[in-house]
Protein backbone atom coordinates (compact mmCIF):
# COMPACT_ATOMS: atom_id res chain seq x y z
CA UNK A 1 0.00 0.00 0.00
CA UNK A 2 1.39 3.39 -1.01
CA UNK A 3 0.96 6.14 1.56
CA UNK A 4 1.64 9.85 1.11
CA UNK A 5 1.85 12.46 3.83
CA UNK A 6 0.47 15.89 2.95
CA UNK A 7 1.93 18.27 5.56
CA UNK A 8 0.93 21.87 6.13
CA UNK A 9 -0.52 24.36 8.56
CA UNK A 10 -3.91 24.46 6.81
CA UNK A 11 -4.94 27.65 8.60
CA UNK A 12 -7.52 27.24 7.13
CA UNK A 13 -7.76 24.27 4.69
CA UNK A 14 -8.63 25.72 1.26
CA UNK A 15 -9.92 24.44 -2.08
CA UNK A 16 -6.26 24.47 -3.21
CA UNK A 17 -5.34 22.00 -0.47
CA UNK A 18 -8.43 19.89 -1.24
CA UNK A 19 -7.42 19.71 -4.89
CA UNK A 20 -3.96 18.37 -3.97
CA UNK A 21 -5.56 15.72 -1.73
CA UNK A 22 -7.98 14.70 -4.50
CA UNK A 23 -5.20 14.38 -7.04
CA UNK A 24 -2.99 12.60 -4.49
CA UNK A 25 -5.69 9.95 -4.10
CA UNK A 26 -5.24 9.11 -7.77
CA UNK A 27 -1.56 8.38 -7.14
CA UNK A 28 -1.55 6.86 -3.65
CA UNK A 29 -3.70 4.37 -1.76
CA UNK A 30 -3.80 6.60 1.29
CA UNK A 31 -3.22 10.31 1.90
CA UNK A 32 -2.46 11.41 5.47
CA UNK A 33 -3.11 15.11 6.03
CA UNK A 34 -0.65 16.08 8.75
CA UNK A 35 -1.54 19.36 10.45
CA UNK A 36 1.63 20.97 11.77
CA UNK A 37 1.38 22.10 15.37
CA UNK A 38 3.87 24.76 16.34
CA UNK A 39 3.22 26.32 19.77
CA UNK A 40 5.48 29.28 18.85
CA UNK A 41 3.46 30.14 15.74
CA UNK A 42 0.28 32.18 16.05
CA UNK A 43 -2.60 30.71 14.04
CA UNK A 44 -6.13 31.93 13.39
CA UNK A 45 -7.63 28.50 14.07
CA UNK A 46 -6.44 26.27 16.89
CA UNK A 47 -5.00 22.86 16.08
CA UNK A 48 -8.22 21.20 17.29
CA UNK A 49 -10.35 23.49 15.11
CA UNK A 50 -8.25 22.76 12.05
CA UNK A 51 -8.47 19.04 12.79
CA UNK A 52 -12.26 19.24 13.01
CA UNK A 53 -12.54 21.35 9.86
CA UNK A 54 -10.48 18.93 7.77
CA UNK A 55 -12.00 15.77 9.28
CA UNK A 56 -15.45 17.06 8.33
CA UNK A 57 -14.32 17.27 4.67
CA UNK A 58 -13.29 13.62 4.57
CA UNK A 59 -15.81 11.90 6.83
CA UNK A 60 -16.84 9.68 3.89
CA UNK A 61 -13.38 9.10 2.44
CA UNK A 62 -11.66 6.15 4.17
CA UNK A 63 -8.45 6.66 2.16
CA UNK A 64 -7.83 10.04 3.80
CA UNK A 65 -6.54 10.28 7.36
CA UNK A 66 -6.15 13.54 9.26
CA UNK A 67 -3.81 14.02 12.18
CA UNK A 68 -1.98 16.62 14.24
CA UNK A 69 1.76 16.49 14.03
CA UNK A 70 4.68 18.13 15.78
CA UNK A 71 8.35 17.60 15.00
CA UNK A 72 10.25 16.41 11.98
CA UNK A 73 8.38 15.17 8.92
CA UNK A 74 10.86 12.35 8.44
CA UNK A 75 10.08 10.97 11.91
CA UNK A 76 6.39 11.00 11.08
CA UNK A 77 7.11 9.24 7.77
CA UNK A 78 9.02 6.49 9.55
CA UNK A 79 6.27 6.12 12.15
CA UNK A 80 3.57 5.82 9.47
CA UNK A 81 5.80 3.86 7.06
CA UNK A 82 4.90 6.45 4.43
CA UNK A 83 6.46 6.38 0.97
CA UNK A 84 6.22 9.99 -0.01
CA UNK A 85 5.60 13.58 1.00
CA UNK A 86 2.94 15.21 -1.12
CA UNK A 87 3.27 18.96 -1.78
CA UNK A 88 1.58 21.58 -3.90
CA UNK A 89 3.57 24.09 -5.95
CA UNK A 90 1.98 27.43 -6.84
CA UNK A 91 4.99 29.52 -7.76
CA UNK A 92 8.77 29.64 -8.03
CA UNK A 93 8.82 30.63 -4.36
CA UNK A 94 7.07 27.37 -3.43
CA UNK A 95 9.32 25.50 -5.82
CA UNK A 96 12.58 26.79 -4.32
CA UNK A 97 11.41 26.06 -0.81
CA UNK A 98 10.18 22.57 -1.69
CA UNK A 99 13.36 21.76 -3.57
CA UNK A 100 15.44 22.41 -0.46
CA UNK A 101 13.02 20.52 1.79
CA UNK A 102 12.95 17.53 -0.57
CA UNK A 103 16.74 17.33 -0.70
CA UNK A 104 17.13 17.59 3.07
CA UNK A 105 14.34 15.14 3.81
CA UNK A 106 15.68 12.61 1.33
CA UNK A 107 19.09 12.86 2.99
CA UNK A 108 18.01 12.58 6.61
CA UNK A 109 15.30 9.93 6.19
CA UNK A 110 16.05 6.24 6.43
CA UNK A 111 14.73 4.63 4.32
CA UNK A 112 14.80 7.64 2.03
CA UNK A 113 11.40 9.29 1.54
CA UNK A 114 10.56 10.79 -1.83
CA UNK A 115 8.72 14.08 -2.35
CA UNK A 116 5.96 14.31 -4.94
CA UNK A 117 5.23 17.84 -6.17
CA UNK A 118 1.94 18.59 -7.87
CA UNK A 119 1.50 21.89 -9.71
CA UNK A 120 -1.43 23.94 -8.50
CA UNK A 121 -4.28 24.19 -10.97
CA UNK A 122 -4.06 27.60 -12.71
CA UNK A 123 -7.37 28.72 -11.25
CA UNK A 124 -6.16 27.87 -7.72
CA UNK A 125 -2.57 29.02 -7.84
CA UNK A 126 -3.27 32.41 -6.25
CA UNK A 127 -5.12 30.84 -3.35
CA UNK A 128 -3.25 31.07 -0.05
CA UNK A 129 -4.45 30.46 3.48
CA UNK A 130 -2.99 33.82 4.51
CA UNK A 131 -5.26 35.64 2.03
CA UNK A 132 -8.29 33.77 3.35
CA UNK A 133 -7.31 34.72 6.92
CA UNK A 134 -7.07 38.36 5.91
CA UNK A 135 -10.51 38.21 4.26
CA UNK A 136 -12.02 36.50 7.30
CA UNK A 137 -10.48 39.16 9.52
CA UNK A 138 -12.37 41.83 7.58
CA UNK A 139 -15.59 39.84 7.47
CA UNK A 140 -15.47 39.24 3.69
CA UNK A 141 -17.17 36.35 1.92
CA UNK A 142 -14.72 33.45 1.57
CA UNK A 143 -17.13 30.87 0.17
CA UNK A 144 -15.29 30.77 -3.18
CA UNK A 145 -12.08 29.64 -1.49
CA UNK A 146 -13.00 27.02 1.10
CA UNK A 147 -14.62 23.57 0.94
CA UNK A 148 -18.28 23.63 2.01
CA UNK A 149 -17.53 21.49 5.07
CA UNK A 150 -14.89 23.95 6.29
CA UNK A 151 -17.27 26.88 5.76
CA UNK A 152 -19.94 25.13 7.83
CA UNK A 153 -17.47 24.48 10.64
CA UNK A 154 -16.32 28.13 10.64
CA UNK A 155 -19.92 29.39 10.74
CA UNK A 156 -20.56 27.25 13.81
P1 LIG B 1 -0.33 28.07 2.72
O1 LIG B 1 1.03 28.00 2.04
O2 LIG B 1 -1.43 28.49 1.80
O3 LIG B 1 -0.31 28.82 4.02
P2 LIG B 1 0.13 25.47 3.87
O4 LIG B 1 1.42 25.92 4.41
O5 LIG B 1 -0.80 24.85 4.82
O6 LIG B 1 -0.69 26.61 3.14
O7 LIG B 1 0.40 24.53 2.61
C1 LIG B 1 0.49 23.14 2.68
C2 LIG B 1 0.80 22.60 1.31
O8 LIG B 1 -0.27 22.92 0.42
C3 LIG B 1 2.07 23.16 0.67
O9 LIG B 1 2.68 22.13 -0.08
C4 LIG B 1 1.51 24.24 -0.25
O10 LIG B 1 2.39 24.50 -1.33
C5 LIG B 1 0.23 23.58 -0.73
N1 LIG B 1 -0.77 24.53 -1.18
C6 LIG B 1 -1.29 25.57 -0.49
N2 LIG B 1 -2.20 26.24 -1.23
C7 LIG B 1 -2.25 25.61 -2.44
C8 LIG B 1 -2.98 25.84 -3.66
N3 LIG B 1 -3.81 26.86 -3.79
N4 LIG B 1 -2.79 24.98 -4.67
C9 LIG B 1 -1.92 23.95 -4.56
N5 LIG B 1 -1.19 23.69 -3.45
C10 LIG B 1 -1.35 24.50 -2.39
Amino acid sequence: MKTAIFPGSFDPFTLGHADIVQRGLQLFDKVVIAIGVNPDKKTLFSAEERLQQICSCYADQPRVEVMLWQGLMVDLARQLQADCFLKGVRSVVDFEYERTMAAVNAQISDPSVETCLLYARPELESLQSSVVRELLHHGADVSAFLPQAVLSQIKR
Side-chain angles (χ1 to χ4, degrees), residues 6-20 23 41 86-91 94 97-98 117-121 123-131 133:
F6 181 39
S9 35
F10 309 117
D11 185 37
F13 188 80
T14 68
L15 287 175
H17 295 129
D19 185 60
I20 297 296
R23 290 159 62 195
K41 200 172 153 193
L86 179 64
K87 302 290 191 85
V89 175
R90 290 160 292 192
S91 63
D94 277 353
Y97 175 75
E98 297 301 351
L117 300 181
L118 297 183
Y119 288 108
R121 283 194 198 288
E123 65 273 26
L124 294 171
E125 67 188 10
S126 306
L127 183 48
Q128 288 172 216
S129 293
S130 58
V131 172
R133 288 198 297 276

Side-chain angles (χ1 to χ4, degrees), residues 5-9 36 69 71-75 77 84-89 92-109 112-117:
I5 298 176
F6 181 39
S9 35
W69 142 82
L72 287 179
M73 275 190 343
V74 292
D75 291 335
C84 204
F85 297 117
L86 179 64
K87 302 290 191 85
V89 175
V92 284
V93 177
D94 277 353
F95 177 79
E96 286 299 337
Y97 175 75
E98 297 301 351
R99 182 167 64 165
T100 309
M101 290 301 292
V104 171
N105 284 330
Q107 201 173 336
I108 65 173
S109 55
S112 185
V113 180
E114 288 293 346
T115 298
C116 171
L117 300 181

Side-chain angles (χ1 to χ4, degrees), residues 47 68 152:
L68 297 178
S152 308

